[in-house]
Amino acid sequence: MMTPQEEQEKLLEEALTVVRTQSFQMKRCLDKSKLMDGLKHASNMLSELRTSLLSPKSYYELYMAISDELCHLETYLLDEFSKGRKVTDLYELVQYAGNIIPRLYLLITVGVVYIKSNELSRKDILKDLVEMCRGVQHPLRGLFLRNYLLQCTKNVLPDAEEDAEGGEVSVMSHAAPRAIAGLNKMVNSSDADAGTVRDSIDFIQLNFAEMNKLWVRMQHQGHSRDREKREQERRELRILVGTNLVRLSQLECVDVEKYKKLVLPGVLEQVVSCKDAIAQEYLMECVIQVFPDEYHLQTLNSFLHACVDLHPDVNIKNVIIALIDRLAQFSRKGDVARTIPMEIQLFDIFSQQISLIIQNRPDMPPEDIVSLQVALINLALKCYPTKLDYVDKVLETTEEIFHRLNLDHLDAASAVSRELARLMKIPIDSYNNVLELLKLEHYGPLMEYFDYQARKSISTHLILNALENETVIPSPEQVEGILNIVGPLVQDQSDQPEIDDEEDFAEEQGYMGRFIHLLSGDTPDQQYLVLSTARKHFGNGGNRRIRHTLPPIVFAAYRLALKYYQLREEDEKWEKKCGKIFQFCHQTIGALMKAELTELPLRLFLQGALVISQLDFENHETVAYEFMSQAFTLYEDEISDSKAQLAAITLIVSTFEKISCFGEENHEPLRTQCTLAASKLLKKPDQCRGVVVCSHMFWSGKSKDRAGKELRDGKRVVECLKKAGRIANQCMDKSVQVQLYVEILNSQIYFYENGCSEIQVSSINELIAKIREDLPNLESNDESDQINKHFANTITHLKIAKLQSSSNFSYDGLDP
Amino acid sequence: MSYPELKVVTVGQFRIGLCHGHQVVPWDDTESLALIQRQLDVDILITGHTHKFQAFEHEEKFYINPGSITGAYSPLDSKVAPSFVLLDIQQSTVIAYVYQLVGEEVKVERIEYKKC
């Protein structure tokens, strides 16, 4: 039992064997000029094409083999004719072949020879041949026969405007097929009129119509259970039918006028009337592919009108999109001559016709409707880039359709959602300027049709586009507009699921943080409004978001305050404005505190204090003090981890050291509080280090009362260092103790070399001796190695310093 | 995620210390940076925090502050020019290539440091 595949192979092989044998015989006879015998063998060979057993694929192979062999026959005959050895009545003779298939193939072959040898009327022969082929009504055989006709006549189709003889086209009845006798009468006609391009068009149109009918008939042959197989086979044969259209497009004398009047109407009529989905879909796409874009531009209405009438199973969306994309491409080729002529309202035509098509197809799936809108929007953007209202129109239409279909809250995974998301992203990617998007009235409303997932995805896409293009947002209205559209990234949404991925969330909030840096008003006053608007939106983002989004706003505000300060000559209200800004910042940082954050607001207050200290607006000392005390309150109330405490107090002190706007009235309490806080740290080493850090406040801290000069209170410095020493003494861990001593030693050196004369060289010597004493007693390990190196480096430094002479200090008496 | 406050890495013959710099009091003070250098026992000390590029030798040790690569805002300096530094370490020599964005131009400087 053979598989169907094997059976086909066997049948084909058998047929090909016959072909080989018969063609060999045919050639031998022709070599001996035995034409009739040769024709007999040719006829035998052609009989193989009478089979009903071969699949289209196999039939095709057989057909190709036989066509090749027939070439020899044609060549032989052409040769004979050219040598003047005309065979009389050959045209009649070949029709005595027994069966219709061999008869017609031979007729075509001979007919072409006649044409090429300028025998008889080309026009008449062509007409005769195309009509005669009606004799084969079997779809498969008929298709290949007519294909043979097309292939053979490829180079002999008349392609002239007028009759070759220069006269008018002779009037002949085109209606009835020629009888054999009638044609023979023409043999002696000297008026072998060649025909014009009209005749070719008629010829091809007829062939096309007949082939299409045969092709469609295949759909209904055989059992309904084999339908899928049949449809597949039909698709394999589609190029045979399409070749007719290709041939039409190759006629040089067909210009746009002829195309409009003679070619397209006939083709469309055949396509629409055959009422077959497979044929219609293929042929419409074929028309788009084979004819030039200029022609399509001139015939849009007819073409699209035909689309309205197509079978409901035709994937009309693909056809329309193929056309739109071609025309969009065409318009972009840059050449001035190639732009769309003004009178062709391309967008309007497509817009209207597509609406008609959608109306006519109530079962069209929503994603296909959207795909058509996508094609339209691409058309608008590519062909009419300046016309924003076209794009808006497409969005409006889409919204209307969705409203009509009662579609809502589209699942992100669904085809319609994905297609609609595609639609939404196109203007973003095309304009590369989110401000343009705001001009599209229907953009925002359309967002509401998506589910949370999709809204977030589109919003992210939008923000990323702004970031990549560094699009500056200059007005509060525009800020409002954009933040409304990207709602899912700004505030909690009613349909928001539980947040699952922390990293993703942080990343997307990071984008928003970066986006804030793009908010930049044209003037400082404008910028303040911009920031206020942003603050309002982001402030509603909930605790998880504000830690990412409020800090950039605060920093933007600090920069703005600085801006006002720099432009203070030009704005008499600058001081009040600065004050207002820092109030704004205070509130904003306060919001972070309410969200139970501590490190972040602490740092923001300290940064703020630094900025305020530099801008001497009215009351700035009070405001700076307020910021410092807020920072301090956070430290006292919220920071409990000891490591964090030391870090925080260090930060507070080092910030304070840089601030020069405080008078003694404010400076003193701050100094005291810091020192107190340091000495109350839980662990001794932390206390020690904290106190050392505080010593700097007394030395290089700057007070307004001293015109910004350093305090240089050496006495208090020494007190701090002594206290640090006492705390170090209380450490139980010997190596920690020695480490602390070395640190204190270095601080002593620092202040001494800085000109602090209250530090005695003797105390430095003392400490050095103490360290020298304790070092050897330490356990030998990595830690003590480090301490030793630290100490050694310190001594090296002292030695160098001792040799240098300096106005600040003298190391006389130092014993390093 | 928590990173250490101080770190030392060894590349070739050089011990390189890393410290953000906000812990060093006063900020941006050469002598106080030297304190850290001695403590970590490094040849090169890299710090930041001020967003201001610096590179200098002090008592035969090399101090680098690469500045801010993004030109980020700093309350200590109203005009931050974006900058970064590449260190080319060969045997006992380090060449620092300093890239700074001044206006629209990228300026490159070359600074050499030899270990003693």
Side-chain angles (χ1 to χ4, degrees), chain A residues 555 558-559 562 566 603 607 610-611 614 650-651 654-655 657-658 693 696 700 739 743 746-747 749-750 753 786 789-790 793-794 797 800, chain B residues 3 5 8 15 22-29 31-32 34-35 37-42 49 58-60 73-79:
Chain A
F555 278 106
Y558 289 160
R559 282 201 302 273
L562 183 62
Q566 287 168 339
R603 284 162 176 265
Q607 291 263 345
L610 271 175
V611 178
Q614 296 163 22
T650 308
L651 199 59
S654 51
T655 306
E657 190 261 345
K658 287 277 179 259
V693 161
H696 288 277
S700 50
Q739 171 62 34
E743 287 175 29
N746 273 281
S747 290
I749 292 169
Y750 172 86
E753 291 178 8
Q786 215 183 333
K789 286 214 187 86
H790 191 181
N793 288 334
T794 315
H797 166 77
I800 297 172
Chain B
Y3 295 100
E5 296 274 329
V8 177
R15 275 175 65 86
H22 70 272
Q23 318 91 320
V24 175
V25 191
W27 295 335
D28 206 24
D29 180 298
E31 287 300 332
S32 56
L35 252 66
Q37 179 273 319
R38 293 196 279 265
Q39 181 177 355
L40 297 179
D41 187 40
V42 292
H49 181 60
H58 174 72
E59 290 184 7
E60 292 176 351
Y73 167 80
S74 161
L76 305 167
D77 187 353
S78 57
K79 277 216 157 3

Side-chain angles (χ1 to χ4, degrees), chain A residues 224-406:
Chain A
S224 53
R225 62 164 171 259
D226 294 327
R227 188 171 63 92
E228 248 187 69
K229 177 162 166 257
R230 268 205 305 285
E231 287 185 351
Q232 180 52 28
E233 287 181 349
R234 279 192 64 196
R235 287 198 181 88
E236 287 169 9
L237 297 169
R238 65 182 190 249
I239 189 73
L240 296 178
V241 183
T243 307
N244 289 286
L245 298 179
V246 174
R247 205 60 88 236
L248 280 171
S249 74
Q250 288 167 337
L251 294 171
E252 301 219 352
C253 288
V254 171
D255 59 1
V256 66
E257 283 307 310
K258 290 211 179 59
Y259 175 77
K260 231 201 275 210
K261 293 211 186 79
L262 301 174
V263 174
L264 189 62
V267 171
L268 286 179
E269 213 230 292
Q270 176 53 223
V271 171
V272 171
S273 63
C274 78
K275 294 196 183 358
D276 175 85
I278 293 180
Q280 286 181 337
E281 194 172 322
Y282 170 67
L283 291 171
M284 290 304 260
E285 283 181 351
C286 214
V287 168
I288 298 172
Q289 296 302 329
V290 310
F291 292 104
D293 297 321
E294 291 93 340
Y295 289 14
H296 296 313
L297 277 175
Q298 300 290 340
T299 53
L300 270 183
N301 271 316
S302 330
F303 186 90
L304 291 173
H305 206 72
C307 286
V308 178
D309 296 329
L310 294 180
H311 190 277
D313 285 348
V314 171
N315 193 332
I316 196 64
K317 151 190 120 184
N318 288 351
V319 174
I320 303 283
I321 290 175
L323 184 58
I324 291 181
D325 284 349
R326 266 191 85 109
L327 293 177
Q329 265 307 97
F330 173 70
S331 78
R332 265 175 140 221
K333 292 250 166 86
D335 218 346
V336 174
R338 282 167 164 275
T339 48
I340 317 283
M342 284 300 282
E343 49 302 347
I344 300 177
Q345 294 298 324
L346 209 61
F347 180 80
D348 290 327
I349 294 174
F350 271 109
S351 187
Q352 282 157 15
Q353 294 291 349
I354 287 178
S355 292
L356 269 174
I357 289 170
I358 294 174
Q359 262 174 39
N360 255 31
R361 285 158 180 255
D363 294 334
M364 189 185 242
E367 54 268 23
D368 282 3
I369 298 179
V370 180
S371 298
L372 285 168
Q373 303 305 320
V374 168
L376 259 182
I377 223 180
N378 273 323
L379 179 74
L381 286 168
K382 287 199 180 111
C383 298
Y384 304 96
T386 53
K387 290 202 145 241
L388 232 78
D389 50 326
Y390 280 178
V391 175
D392 210 8
K393 180 100 186 30
V394 176
L395 296 174
E396 186 182 359
T397 312
T398 313
E399 213 202 332
E400 269 166 25
I401 294 174
F402 273 62
H403 189 74
R404 191 165 40 90
L405 295 174
N406 269 328

Side-chain angles (χ1 to χ4, degrees), chain A residues 501-673:
Chain A
D501 197 316
E502 287 295 329
E503 258 184 56
D504 281 351
F505 182 76
E507 190 176 8
E508 117 208 343
Q509 289 304 305
Y511 299 147
M512 294 315 287
R514 286 168 61 194
F515 179 68
I516 290 167
H517 289 293
L518 290 174
L519 308 181
S520 177
D522 294 327
T523 65
D525 289 344
Q526 185 81 315
Q527 175 66 346
Y528 180 73
L529 293 171
V530 164
L531 288 180
S532 304
T533 310
R535 162 80 174 85
K536 198 173 61 167
H537 281 262
F538 287 111
N540 288 331
N543 289 350
R544 298 189 64 202
R545 290 195 181 82
I546 58 176
R547 76 182 64 185
H548 298 280
T549 52
L550 292 188
I553 293 183
V554 172
F555 278 106
Y558 289 160
R559 282 201 302 273
L560 180 60
L562 183 62
K563 195 85 186 269
Y564 273 117
Y565 178 73
Q566 287 168 339
L567 296 172
R568 61 193 182 280
E569 305 292 321
E570 301 163 28
D571 187 349
E572 57 183 19
K573 298 210 189 97
W574 79 273
E575 293 187 74
K576 279 220 163 60
K577 290 178 183 173
C578 274
K580 199 155 170 224
I581 290 176
F582 287 108
Q583 228 175 6
F584 171 84
C585 293
H586 194 280
Q587 269 168 11
T588 310
I589 305 174
L592 290 167
M593 279 167 64
K594 286 207 189 81
E596 299 182 10
L597 297 164
T598 50
E599 282 284 335
L600 189 55
L602 182 127
R603 284 162 176 265
L604 289 172
F605 274 126
L606 290 178
Q607 291 263 345
L610 271 175
V611 178
I612 297 166
S613 136
Q614 296 163 22
L615 315 177
D616 62 350
F617 59 94
E618 205 182 313
N619 264 341
H620 78 133
E621 190 184 335
T622 315
V623 183
Y625 189 80
E626 169 62 19
F627 272 57
M628 284 301 289
S629 41
Q630 282 287 350
F632 214 92
T633 311
L634 274 164
Y635 166 78
E636 285 188 319
D637 295 347
E638 305 293 341
I639 301 186
S640 47
D641 173 69
S642 50
K643 189 162 164 220
Q645 279 181 335
L646 177 59
I649 200 67
T650 308
L651 199 59
I652 294 174
V653 169
S654 51
T655 306
F656 182 54
E657 190 261 345
K658 287 277 179 259
I659 294 179
S660 53
C661 68
F662 291 131
E664 194 58 18
E665 202 180 296
N666 284 326
H667 206 273
E668 200 270 328
L670 282 170
R671 286 195 310 260
T672 314
Q673 283 303 314

Side-chain angles (χ1 to χ4, degrees), chain A residues 154-198:
Chain A
K154 183 168 181 178
N155 298 317
V156 301
L157 290 176
D159 201 352
E161 290 291 346
E162 293 175 340
D163 191 25
E165 297 278 75
E168 55 208 304
V169 175
S170 45
V171 179
M172 294 218 185
S173 162
H174 293 280
R178 297 256 150 236
I180 301 169
L183 200 56
N184 277 337
K185 281 208 187 88
M186 301 297 292
V187 170
N188 296 316
S189 166
S190 58
D191 198 332
D193 53 329
T196 67
V197 72
R198 276 206 71 143

Side-chain angles (χ1 to χ4, degrees), chain B residues 3 5 13 27 35-36 38-39 43-44 58-59 62 72 76 88 90 92 94 99 105 107 111 115:
Chain B
Y3 295 100
E5 296 274 329
Q13 294 181 24
W27 295 335
L35 252 66
I36 303 291
R38 293 196 279 265
Q39 181 177 355
D43 307 301
I44 303 174
H58 174 72
E59 290 184 7
F62 197 27
L76 305 167
D88 182 6
Q90 306 282 356
S92 61
V94 166
Y99 294 79
E105 258 187 80
K107 296 212 156 92
I111 304 173
K115 183 175 164 135

